[in-house]
Amino acid sequence: MKVNGRHYRTIWLNEKDRSTVQVIDQRKLPFTFAVLDLRTVEEFRAAIQDMAVRGAGLIGATAGYGMYIAALTSPQEDALAFIEAAAKSLVATRPTASNLAWAVNRQLAAARSCRSREAMIRTALDTAQAIADGDAEACRRIGEHGKAVILELAQKKKRGEPVHILTHCNAGWLAFVDNGTATAPLYAAFDAGVKLHVWVDETRPRNQGASLTAWELGQHGVPHDLITDNAGGHLMQHGLVDLVITGADRVARNGDVANKIGTYLKALAARDNAVPFYVALPSSTFDFECTDGVSSIPIEERDPGEVRFMTGRSADGSLATVQLCPDETPARNWGFDVTPSRLVTRLICERGLCEASEAGILGLFPERKA
Amino acid sequence: MKVNGRHYRTIWLNEKDRSTVQVIDQRKLPFTFAVLDLRTVEEFRAAIQDMAVRGAGLIGATAGYGMYIAALTSPQEDALAFIEAAAKSLVATRPTASNLAWAVNRQLAAARSCRSREAMIRTALDTAQAIADGDAEACRRIGEHGKAVILELAQKKKRGEPVHILTHCNAGWLAFVDNGTATAPLYAAFDAGVKLHVWVDETRPRNQGASLTAWELGQHGVPHDLITDNAGGHLMQHGLVDLVITGADRVARNGDVANKIGTYLKALAARDNAVPFYVALPSSTFDFECTDGVSSIPIEERDPGEVRFMTGRSADGSLATVQLCPDETPARNWGFDVTPSRLVTRLICERGLCEASEAGILGLFPERKA
C-alpha cells in the first residue's frame, strides 16, 4: 500500500543488493517511518523478537526471507547444517506464531531437496518470494471478495454519501505483506473509486487502531476518524455505520471467531442495530480441529502493565510512558475474545464468502470434510 | 467514604474555622490526595470551573456552600445584592449543570426570606448543610436498596466466592457528597461483610474508571481489578460477572438511560449472557419531560483531543500528556450513549427499585403522572 505516495510492502528484497532484506520498522510507527536492513540470521531473529515486524502473515514472510539469508550466509562446507540451525533459532523467537513455523518448515524441506549450496540459495530465494507473494495474493483476493460487499452497500447510499465502515484493531497491510485482511476490501473499494469513510477503534490496551490502522489509512488517503472503543454502539444506534469488518486470530470449525478483545461487543451492537458484521481472514487462520470456539479457544492473559500504562509521543517529540491509575491498582488483561458465529454475517477468505457455520466453511473447504 | 483509613466527604465545613469550606482537589487524583480551602466566592467559582470538584451531586453541594460563603463575606449594607451577584456568577461557571442552578436558587429563595444579614448567614449555612446531607442521604438510601440486590446474589454463590460486579465510569462518592450512586450498593454490601470484587472499566477517553473509581475502591479497601473497556463482554461470556451497575446522566420517562459512552455496549453483553444490569441514580436525574431517550436525548460531542491524547503520571512523577495517533489523524468524541430501557433490569433510586419503563418509574413517582 502507499506510504508518502509510494507503494510499499512490509518486507522486500533490496533489488540493488540482493544480500539485504528490508522491512518497515513497526516499533517506530506511527511517529517515524523507518526502514530496517536485515543481513544476518541474528538480525532476523531480533526483528521478529523485538516486534520490528509483527502480524501473522508478515511474521511468516519474514521467516521465509530469513531462511534465504541463512542459505546466503552459510559456509561452503556444511551449508545444510547451518540452515537447519538457523531454522531452529528463528522458530524459537515466537513459539506460538503458527505462520513462522510453517514458513521455516517449507524452506527446510526445499533446502533438503537441493544437491548444492548454490541450489539451496536459489531455491530459498524463490521460496521466500513465493511465501510473500502468496500472502499478498491471498489478501488481494480477500479484498476483491469483500469489495463486492461494499459496492452493494454503496449502491443503496444516496449520491455523495460515503459507506461508513467500522473496524477494530489492525488487520491491515502492516500485519501481512500487503493489503491486509479486514482492510483489504476497504482499499480495493477505495481504489475502485467508491466513496467510503472508516471508523477506527483505538483498540485498547495496545492501541493498534490509533497507531497502526489510522496511520495506514492516512497514508493511503482513505477518509477516517479515530474513535474510542466505547463509541461504536452509539454510532450504530444512530445509523452511522453501514458495515463492520474485522480480522481474526483464529476461526473455529463452527464459525466462532477469536479476535482482539472487544470484537464481541461490536458484534453485539451490530446485531442489535441490523448492521452487517463481516470477518476477513486467510484460510490459514481456520482451526478445523476446534469444533466450538466460545468454549474451547484458549484466551491469552497478558501483562497488566498494558492496561495500567500507556505509551505515546510527548510534547518534546520523544516516546514516553504514563501511568493511568493509582500505584496500588491491580489490573487484568485478556488479549482476545470470541464472537459467537450467530453474530457473524459472513466470513471472507481468499476462496470467497461463506456463512460462519461448519456447513458454510466446509462448502469453501470441501477437502476438510471428515 | 474512607481515604487513608479516615472517613471523608468530598466537601465539608472546617469546624475549627467556620469561614472555610474544604474540598478534595480532584484534579490531582489519583496521584495526590490534596484538600483545597475555599474562602471566597471567587475561589468557589474557580474550583467549579477548573473541575477541582466535578459530578452532579458534588457541584450542587459546592454551589450551596459557595452561597453560604457569599453571605458570610457580604458587606453589612446591601448583603442581599452581594448574594444575588454571587449567585449569578456561580451559575455561570457550568451553565449545563442542573444541580448547580437548583442549589443556587434554593439558597437565593432562603436568603430573600430573611430579615437580616445575620439571619441570611445562619440560613445559608443551614441550607448548605441540608443540601449536602440530602445528597449523602439519597446516595445512602440508593446503597441500601442496591445492597439487597447484592445480598440476594451473594446467597447464590458458593461459600467463599465473591460477587463479581462490573461498573463503568465514576458514579462514585467523588461525584457526590458521599457514597455515590453506582458505587453506593457496593460500599453498603462491603461494609456489611459481603464478599465482593469489582471490575473497573477504565472508561476512555477520560479514564474516570482508572483514575477515580479505582482510587475510591482502593482507599475503601474494596477488592477490584482495572480492565479495558473492551474486556467486559469476554468476562460476562465466561461467567465472571454477576451484576453490572452503572450511574446515569439522564433517564427518560420511558426508562432509556443516557450515561457515559460505552454503557450501551455493556448492557448488550449483559443481556446476551443473562447478567442483571442495574442503573443507580438520584431522583433528580430523571427527565420526566423526555418520553423517548434513544431518539431524543442530545448527545454532547466533545474535544477530539481527549481521544488523540492521554494524560498520566510519567516516570519522574510529573503529569504528562502523550499523543496516541499520527499528527494528521482526525478523531470524533461523543461523551454519552443511550441504553434502551429493554436492556435495563431495574433502576435503583432513593425511593427504591423500579422497572425501567414509564409504568415502573411512575409507580415510584406517582406525583409525576400526567
Side-chain angles (χ1 to χ4, degrees), chain A residues 31 202 204 210 224-226 229-230 237 264 272-273 310 312-313 322-323 325-327 330-332 338 342, chain B residues 31 202 204 210 224-226 229-230 237 262 264 272-273 310 312-313 322-323 325-327 330-332 338 342:
Chain A
F31 303 115
E202 64 171 337
R204 282 280 290 146
H224 63 284
D225 281 293
L226 179 64
D229 301 313
N230 282 325
Q237 201 178 45
Y264 168 44
D272 202 45
N273 295 287
M310 180 145 350
R313 191 178 61 187
V322 295
Q323 181 177 324
C325 62
D327 288 336
R332 298 284 294 271
V338 179
R342 64 185 150 84
Chain B
F31 302 114
E202 64 171 338
R204 284 279 290 145
H224 63 284
D225 281 293
L226 180 64
D229 301 313
N230 282 324
Q237 201 179 46
Y264 168 44
D272 202 44
N273 296 286
M310 180 144 354
R313 191 179 60 187
V322 296
Q323 181 176 325
C325 62
D327 288 337
R332 300 284 293 273
V338 179
R342 65 185 150 86

Side-chain angles (χ1 to χ4, degrees), chain B residues 63-218:
Chain B
Y65 279 110
M67 290 294 285
Y68 156 64
I69 292 294
L72 194 69
T73 57
S74 65
Q76 285 293 341
E77 301 294 310
D78 277 338
L80 187 62
F82 182 89
I83 291 169
E84 287 174 335
K88 214 167 163 181
S89 81
L90 284 169
V91 167
T93 51
R94 296 199 64 187
T96 54
S98 65
N99 286 49
L100 199 167
W102 169 83
V104 165
N105 288 333
R106 185 168 160 184
Q107 284 280 27
L108 265 186
R112 284 171 184 151
S113 71
C114 293
R115 298 271 172 116
S116 69
R117 179 174 170 277
E118 283 58 45
M120 283 178 198
I121 295 170
R122 213 169 39 241
T123 303
L125 179 55
D126 289 347
T127 305
Q129 305 272 40
I131 290 171
D133 291 347
D135 180 89
E137 175 61 13
C139 289
R140 192 191 65 75
R141 287 194 195 173
I142 288 170
E144 287 304 311
H145 295 305
K147 183 174 78 172
V149 175
I150 297 174
L151 283 172
E152 205 180 313
L153 289 167
Q155 281 161 2
K156 291 181 200 156
K157 302 292 284 192
K158 283 187 203 145
R159 201 179 174 79
E161 276 186 12
V163 179
H164 292 285
I165 301 169
L166 186 144
T167 191
H168 189 69
C169 199
N170 178 261
W173 71 272
L174 290 171
F176 296 87
V177 173
D178 206 352
N179 302 300
T181 53
T183 54
L186 317 188
Y187 291 128
F190 178 79
D191 289 345
V194 176
K195 188 163 181 170
L196 51 83
H197 167 264
V198 184
W199 297 111
V200 180
D201 273 4
E202 64 171 338
T203 318
R204 284 279 290 145
R206 288 177 64 92
N207 293 7
Q208 293 95 332
S211 59
L212 301 178
T213 304
W215 182 83
E216 276 194 15
L217 293 172

Side-chain angles (χ1 to χ4, degrees), chain B residues 239-271:
Chain B
L240 295 168
V241 181
D242 298 303
L243 173 67
V244 181
I245 308 184
T246 74
D249 288 90
R250 200 196 288 204
V251 174
R253 193 180 181 96
N254 71 341
D256 290 349
V257 173
N259 191 44
K260 182 68 39 161
I261 190 88
T263 302
Y264 168 44
L265 294 172
K266 294 300 138 63
L268 285 167
R271 173 56 50 100

